[in-house]
Amino acid sequence: LLTTNEGRQATLIRCREGSWTPLHLSCRAIATDATIMTIAISNTAAISVQDDDGDNALHSALRNGASDLVLQTLIGLAAGISHDNDIDNESNNSLSDTPGENNPTSCTFQTPDHGDGDWPVHSAIRHEAPAHIVELLLDASPESIDARNNEWKAPLHIACEFERHDIIALLIQRVTHWAGLPTGFRSYLATEDWFGSTPVDCLWERYLNNICASDD
């Protein structure tokens, strides 16, 4: 795949079976770091491609326990392309204002999967990625701090459900400086999901479940 010149771009971007790209397959199979990064660097556009489950390469890597090095590489590549294309779009007034229409990779961080509707930041928290990986995702896409999945859960809901105390602290710290929520972290803590639960409710429910489990 990496040495064939004819059709190389198309092959690296799309694999017909299951709509998986070679990058998806390498992330799902936990290939070596070198293999995953070589494929990603060879064609960064493949990072934003979604498979039939709605997963892009970041979803797949996070869901399958990719190494910090791989996650940092994928995030850095996607963020670099987003930045370059944002500059190009500003200088081209003929381009559409629709997010992602001209630059799919700019939406890599804001792509919901077809299952829970998780953005990469939700997946990172749910699948126990380290706090610094979550922080990189927030740096690349500040809006992700208030991303909502199919159950209207923000990243803070997920962090509370999984008792990710380091992530809870990170999100509260970051939201106080995020211009998108001028009312600050108090309103963020009061955010309700589709079930009417706030992040604090989710944390309390998890605490009660732990108590019940210990009694058994």
Side-chain angles (χ1 to χ4, degrees):
L1 290 175
L2 299 177
T3 57
T4 303
N5 291 323
E6 186 175 355
R8 179 167 176 258
Q9 294 285 102
T11 303
L12 286 171
I13 291 179
R14 177 67 66 187
C15 179
R16 292 187 62 84
E17 183 178 355
S19 295
W20 292 341
T21 67
L23 186 54
H24 282 115
L25 293 172
S26 62
C27 290
R28 284 172 177 261
I30 309 298
T32 65
D33 289 358
T35 298
I36 297 174
M37 291 189 294
T38 299
I39 295 173
I41 293 170
S42 296
N43 198 319
T44 52
I47 299 173
S48 65
V49 175
Q50 291 178 269
D51 64 17
D52 287 348
D53 296 323
D55 288 352
N56 60 35
L58 268 177
H59 287 109
S60 294
L62 290 162
R63 197 186 308 279
N64 291 283
S67 70
D68 279 14
L69 181 59
V70 166
L71 293 173
Q72 290 179 43
T73 299
L74 292 176
I75 293 169
L77 290 171
I81 291 179
S82 298
H83 175 71
D84 292 344
N85 284 348
D86 285 344
I87 294 174
D88 291 342
N89 289 348
E90 288 176 3
S91 63
N92 189 345
N93 294 329
S94 65
L95 291 176
S96 168
D97 292 331
T98 304
E101 184 170 319
N102 302 292
N103 178 23
T105 310
S106 67
C107 295
T108 301
F109 305 105
Q110 301 173 15
T111 302
D113 63 30
H114 295 167
D116 297 313
D118 282 352
W119 292 25
V121 68
H122 292 106
S123 294
I125 299 169
R126 191 186 297 277
H127 297 286
E128 301 185 349
H132 66 269
I133 294 297
V134 176
E135 190 165 16
L136 287 175
L137 290 168
L138 294 174
D139 287 341
S141 175
E143 299 85 355
S144 293
I145 198 168
D146 199 36
R148 305 305 174 92
N149 65 12
N150 291 345
E151 295 182 342
W152 209 240
K153 292 184 185 295
L156 186 58
H157 287 93
I158 306 297
C160 289
E161 286 182 352
F162 286 85
E163 292 185 293
R164 298 291 309 275
H165 298 292
D166 53 343
I167 305 299
I168 293 171
L170 170 64
L171 292 171
I172 291 176
Q173 180 185 30
R174 292 291 292 254
V175 80
T176 58
H177 304 291
W178 183 50
L181 195 66
T183 51
F185 76 93
R186 293 187 183 277
S187 61
Y188 191 57
L189 289 174
T191 299
E192 295 183 352
D193 61 18
W194 281 122
F195 308 103
S197 297
T198 67
V200 175
D201 293 330
C202 293
L203 189 60
W204 179 243
E205 182 178 358
R206 180 61 181 261
Y207 174 71
L208 292 178
N209 288 339
N210 288 343
I211 292 178
C212 292
S214 64
D215 289 341
D216 295 339

